[in-house]
Amino acid sequence: MRRPHSPSPAPDDAESAPARGNLPAELNTFVGRDDELAEVERLLGESRLVTVAGVAGVGKTRFVTRVAALMEKRYCDGVWIAELSAVHDPELLGHAIADALGLTDHTSRPPRVTLAEHCAERRLLLVIDGFEHLADACAGLVRELLRRAPHLQVLAAGRRPLRVDGELCFPLMPMKDDDALELFARRAIAVRPGFRLTDDDRETARELCRRLDGIPLALELAAGRLRALTTEQVLHRLDDRFRLLTGGSPSALPRHRTLRTAIGWSHELCAPEQRLLWARLSVFAGQFDLEAVEYICSGSGLPADSVLDVLDELLAQSVVLREDSAVGSRYRLLDTVREYGAEWLRATGDAERLRRRHRDWYLGLATWCELDWFSPRQAEAAARIDCELPNLRRAMECSMESPEEVHLAQYLAGTLWFYWAGCGRLSEGRHWLDHVLEEDSPYDHSRLKALWVLGYVAVLQGDPVGAVSALQECREEGERAGDATAVAYAVHRTGCLSIVTDDPIRAEELLREALRRYREIGELNSNVLMAQVELGMAVAFRGDLDAAAAICDEVREICEDHGERWTLAYALYVLGYAALRSGPGGRARRMLGESLSIAHAFHDLLGTVLSLELLALITVAEGDAAEAAVLQGAADRIWPSVGLPLFGSAHYGRPRAECEERARAELGDARYDASRRSGRQLDAQAAVARALRAGADTGTAPEGTPQGNPEGKTRRPAASRTPGRGGPELG
């Protein structure tokens, strides 16, 4: 029985006064959680039963104890905590809680009667901790006590809710990065006096906290290892975290002394089918959705129609976390929980089969998203790939492990071309494309596609040598294999390379050839329209602005008919360029403002920075040289994340040079340089907002873009206007 503890010393003549609680004294500093503490206090103002639920080791016991201590003065009959993890027989539950309240009863009455009678007229807070293995019995007792004691409040802490009417559940999440770092540092000082986080090891410690998911128990155990190891050594040993993170405080509850024991406690409370799903969920990386779980994890011992119910139980027990995202409700396992499940999956001998099912699902997902890219669902496809990127990486890694399956990794890396090029992921795309093409494999469609996508990415990065190598290989091997599609794309991207290397005549020749090849094979998608946009750019660079505008006006109509927004942004860029060269005015700013809004919404840094460069020239032409210099500085900051500034092209660079010349002449070198330095302090979000705000201030904001909202709205497409088999007609 826990001895009652008075929060403050009693006077000598008050020895017979009733105890007012049994909260344990804090042995070390409570760190962070200010917002969560305030929220639970608020919930206790709304409900008589609040349950704090969370994964093993997340700090539920310490958290509810802290809440109770902060609220202690509100309860004239005290705050009492009942720790139930050591109670295994439901019949002893009432005795354990009565024990915690310091009650003795020599009659034959059931303890729940004594409890109800004791609480009936008292105003007290009962804290119940570690109840999950007795959840049903505990729920029944709490329900009865709340009905018979109108002033009683209950604060419970466990892996799952009690599921009692009127209960409010607060999910306690892992600690935020800064709080986790502070907790680690404070606990490190306790085991190694004089420990201080220096600039050199602060990032190492921050990465350690992230790898441990911000779980307080894991952080405290890791800090304990600093008696013998450095922070960097602890980080490097986390691959075997369950063996490393042991040796907790002897005063801690047994289930809190090692990370494995804490997670294992949750595992023991799961039914067999819940343990099976937990193990199978470990194949996921990052977030996942219900459809993926039903396909990948169903099978022997877990029928597909039971997966939702079993997943719901794992959610209730805080093994799985639910998160809202841009594509709806999604789920994830903390890394520590995932690794525990992975050990069990390996023990079942089913790990390889599950990894292949996982890979196959994400191959299909990437295929569908590529198709959706040329549709009104383009933004949804981008958001979906954004959420699924960790799983797509894992799928590529899985395929690279077997020489017979390398072509699947090549297919996946190539299929994601729209994400690499269209959503600001050029660098990662280059990494994967180089990696999957390192392995020898037949020149089938998958390898050829990866080659032209690699060439495309290299063009955008300003790497002509890498682009020529990949595109030439793709064309030669495509012609040898009779793959007309691969040849068309290789010709197209070679034409794109000619534009950025200042050969618009050759670019026009190649792009017209590519468009002819696309028509012959019946190809129409965002790439085909982009070829037409690039043709318009080449024609504009040759000085025929009317022809360039006509070409891109046709692209704009097709994009609007199909709900395509990404290529539309580049068509508007060329139209803005043509309008600007015809004379400054609101029309050019409107087009470039809309182009900028769309590109930024897709996180397309190339489209964003190109539009910023032209908007800077418009701004100086409108008479605001200082603001033009700021926008140029903002573009300076973005270019290193894209590649070679303006591709090193004289044609693309001409507007920048003209803007700088005019702004310097008006401001002088010192003011111009100062304004440009100021612009380099802006991140992309701030730069886009500033450029669009300038348009709003002059009354020429892009149509359909609310002031202060750089995202813009996707317009619904008009009735389908699909061109005939020949595709877009060119002059």
Side-chain angles (χ1 to χ4, degrees):
M1 181 180 76
R2 188 192 300 267
R3 295 184 63 83
H5 168 75
S6 175
S8 58
D12 293 340
D13 60 353
E15 290 183 2
S16 61
R20 299 222 21 244
N22 67 341
L23 288 179
E26 291 186 329
L27 299 179
N28 50 28
T29 307
F30 186 89
V31 175
R33 303 282 200 191
D34 292 342
D35 292 342
E36 293 100 321
L37 290 167
E39 177 62 12
V40 172
E41 285 193 53
R42 187 188 68 78
L43 293 177
L44 282 167
E46 296 182 4
S47 174
R48 295 175 57 213
L49 170 60
V50 174
T51 299
V52 174
V55 70
V58 80
K60 299 181 294 296
T61 298
R62 186 68 189 273
F63 180 80
V64 296
T65 303
R66 182 67 170 178
V67 172
L70 292 172
M71 301 185 68
E72 192 172 15
K73 292 181 180 178
R74 303 186 189 184
Y75 300 94
C76 57
D77 294 299
V79 174
W80 303 84
I81 183 166
E83 216 303 312
L84 302 179
S85 63
V87 181
H88 300 290
D89 185 350
E91 295 297 324
L92 298 177
L93 177 62
H95 293 285
I97 294 179
D99 232 13
L101 288 168
L103 301 181
T104 57
D105 184 13
H106 298 292
T107 72
S108 60
R109 295 181 303 174
R112 63 176 55 217
V113 174
T114 305
L115 281 169
E117 183 179 283
H118 176 79
C119 296
E121 300 302 325
R122 287 177 168 81
R123 187 178 298 276
L124 62 84
L125 175 66
L126 175 60
V127 181
I128 298 175
D129 184 32
F131 65 80
E132 45 274 292
H133 58 303
L134 301 169
D136 293 339
C138 197
L141 178 56
V142 167
R143 186 182 295 111
E144 181 177 345
L145 292 176
L146 289 172
R147 284 174 177 168
R148 298 181 60 180
H151 301 299
L152 171 69
Q153 282 195 282
V154 178
L155 176 61
R159 268 73 156 181
R160 50 165 291 178
L162 282 166
R163 294 175 175 168
V164 172
D165 290 346
E167 176 185 31
L168 294 179
C169 186
F170 178 79
L172 186 63
M173 304 301 288
M175 299 184 84
K176 298 174 183 175
D177 286 354
D178 289 343
D179 286 349
L181 185 63
E182 183 182 354
L183 177 66
F184 176 76
R186 285 180 179 268
R187 300 303 182 255
I189 292 170
V191 300
R192 204 173 86 193
F195 175 86
R196 292 291 183 273
L197 281 178
T198 65
D199 291 340
D200 291 337
D201 60 10
R202 182 174 298 275
E203 283 309 308
T204 301
R206 193 178 292 278
E207 177 62 19
L208 175 65
C209 294
R210 292 195 192 104
R211 289 278 305 277
L212 292 174
D213 301 307
I215 297 177
L217 173 61
L219 297 171
E220 296 196 1
L221 293 171
R225 283 297 183 184
L226 294 182
R227 293 184 184 93
L229 303 172
T230 66
T231 306
E232 188 170 4
Q233 286 173 322
V234 174
L235 177 61
H236 289 162
R237 290 167 181 258
L238 279 189
D239 288 341
D240 192 6
R241 67 183 67 190
F242 293 116
R243 189 171 68 175
L244 175 70
L245 301 182
T246 61
S249 168
S251 64
L253 294 169
R255 70 178 191 273
H256 289 170
R257 288 179 190 160
T258 73
L259 191 60
R260 180 184 292 278
T261 304
I263 303 295
W265 172 258
S266 290
H267 197 261
E268 290 174 12
L269 296 173
C270 291
E273 64 273 13
Q274 294 164 12
R275 296 180 188 178
L276 182 60
L277 182 56
W278 180 347
R280 291 178 178 177
L281 289 174
S282 69
V283 300
F284 289 101
Q287 295 180 333
F288 47 87
D289 62 17
L290 177 60
E291 290 77 12
V293 175
E294 288 176 327
Y295 174 81
I296 296 167
C297 298
S298 61
S300 176
L302 196 63
D305 58 5
S306 71
V307 168
L308 176 57
D309 290 337
V310 179
L311 179 63
D312 187 57
E313 284 301 316
L314 291 178
L315 283 162
Q317 297 189 58
S318 303
V319 172
V320 177
L321 304 181
R322 177 184 177 275
E323 298 178 338
D324 293 326
S325 74
V327 293
S329 294
R330 297 176 64 76
Y331 312 98
R332 73 180 176 99
L333 299 176
L334 296 176
D335 285 347
T336 303
V337 175
R338 180 184 297 111
E339 289 194 18
Y340 193 92
E343 289 188 2
W344 278 80
L345 183 61
R346 287 191 292 271
T348 67
D350 203 25
E352 190 59 32
R353 184 185 71 86
L354 264 292
R355 292 185 70 215
R356 289 176 185 274
R357 284 180 71 83
H358 174 275
R359 189 268 316 283
D360 293 345
W361 172 266
Y362 286 100
L363 281 171
L365 176 74
T367 301
W368 279 110
C369 285
E370 183 187 29
L371 294 172
D372 276 350
W373 186 253
F374 188 56
S375 79
R377 296 177 298 280
Q378 193 172 52
E380 296 168 30
R384 184 68 184 272
I385 296 298
D386 232 11
C387 288
E388 300 290 11
L389 188 57
N391 286 303
L392 291 162
R393 291 169 180 151
R394 180 164 288 187
M396 282 187 277
E397 290 167 353
C398 176
S399 298
M400 290 298 291
E401 291 173 4
S402 170
E404 293 77 21
E405 296 182 342
V406 168
H407 68 284
L408 297 175
Q410 293 169 348
Y411 171 82
L412 187 49
T415 297
L416 291 173
W417 67 266
F418 63 94
Y419 187 66
W420 311 138
C423 300
R425 293 283 187 167
L426 288 175
S427 179
E428 180 163 359
R430 181 66 180 268
H431 163 79
W432 284 110
L433 291 160
D434 282 336
H435 183 49
V436 301
L437 288 168
E438 286 173 355
E439 300 295 325
D440 290 332
S441 62
Y443 281 99
D444 60 6
H445 180 72
S446 296
R447 185 176 184 87
L448 293 172
K449 184 172 187 177
L451 279 168
W452 73 253
V453 175
L454 172 59
Y456 180 24
V457 169
V459 169
L460 298 181
Q461 289 183 315
D463 176 14
V465 175
V468 167
S469 175
L471 294 172
Q472 185 173 334
E473 182 180 353
C474 180
R475 179 167 187 172
E476 291 174 355
E477 296 299 336
E479 289 173 343
R480 189 173 293 117
D483 190 329
T485 301
V487 173
Y489 279 96
V491 172
H492 170 188
R493 293 306 168 193
T494 306
C496 179
L497 176 62
S498 295
I499 297 177
V500 302
T501 53
D502 292 329
D503 190 352
I505 296 175
R506 176 64 174 158
E508 181 178 352
E509 176 187 328
L510 289 168
L511 290 166
R512 290 190 185 279
E513 179 187 348
L515 287 163
R516 174 183 59 77
R517 289 177 179 272
Y518 285 143
R519 285 196 297 271
E520 289 173 354
I521 60 177
E523 191 90 344
L524 179 62
N525 55 33
S526 299
N527 273 304
V528 175
L529 294 180
M530 190 62 82
Q532 192 166 344
V533 170
E534 290 157 355
L535 175 62
M537 197 78 245
V539 170
F541 284 163
R542 288 200 301 102
D544 194 342
L545 299 179
D546 290 340
I551 291 169
C552 289
D553 267 328
E554 183 177 356
V555 174
R556 178 164 60 173
E557 291 180 14
I558 298 171
C559 286
E560 290 174 348
D561 286 351
H562 286 269
E564 214 283 0
R565 300 283 289 168
W566 175 67
T567 309
L568 174 62
Y570 285 91
L572 289 167
Y573 169 79
V574 178
L575 288 167
Y577 179 93
L580 175 60
R581 286 307 180 195
S582 299
R587 183 166 175 265
R589 180 177 280 282
R590 281 194 298 273
M591 288 177 171
L592 289 166
E594 186 175 356
S595 175
L596 177 63
S597 295
I598 297 170
H600 182 60
F602 281 113
H603 308 291
D604 181 355
L605 293 180
L606 176 60
T608 297
V609 73
L610 285 174
S611 294
L612 277 175
E613 293 279 7
L614 287 188
L615 283 167
L617 180 56
I618 290 175
T619 302
V620 75
E622 291 171 345
D624 193 344
E627 183 65 14
V630 168
L631 293 181
Q632 285 199 305
D636 289 342
R637 177 170 173 174
I638 295 174
W639 274 114
S641 298
V642 178
L644 186 63
L646 292 160
F647 315 108
S649 161
H651 286 295
Y652 277 100
R654 192 169 293 129
R656 172 194 271 192
E658 182 180 340
C659 178
E660 179 174 348
E661 181 181 356
R662 295 176 64 170
R664 279 190 186 278
E666 184 171 331
L667 298 173
D669 288 344
R671 283 187 61 201
Y672 173 82
D673 291 338
S675 296
R676 194 154 176 168
R677 282 195 301 272
S678 174
R680 292 191 187 106
Q681 304 304 310
L682 300 175
D683 61 18
Q685 177 77 24
V688 169
R690 186 157 180 160
L692 294 177
R693 187 165 58 247
D697 292 343
T698 60
T700 55
E703 296 177 8
T705 303
Q707 185 172 344
N709 173 19
E711 299 290 329
K713 298 291 185 182
T714 301
R715 289 181 288 179
R716 299 294 299 174
S720 178
R721 181 184 171 276
T722 305
R725 185 174 177 81
E729 291 296 327
L730 303 177

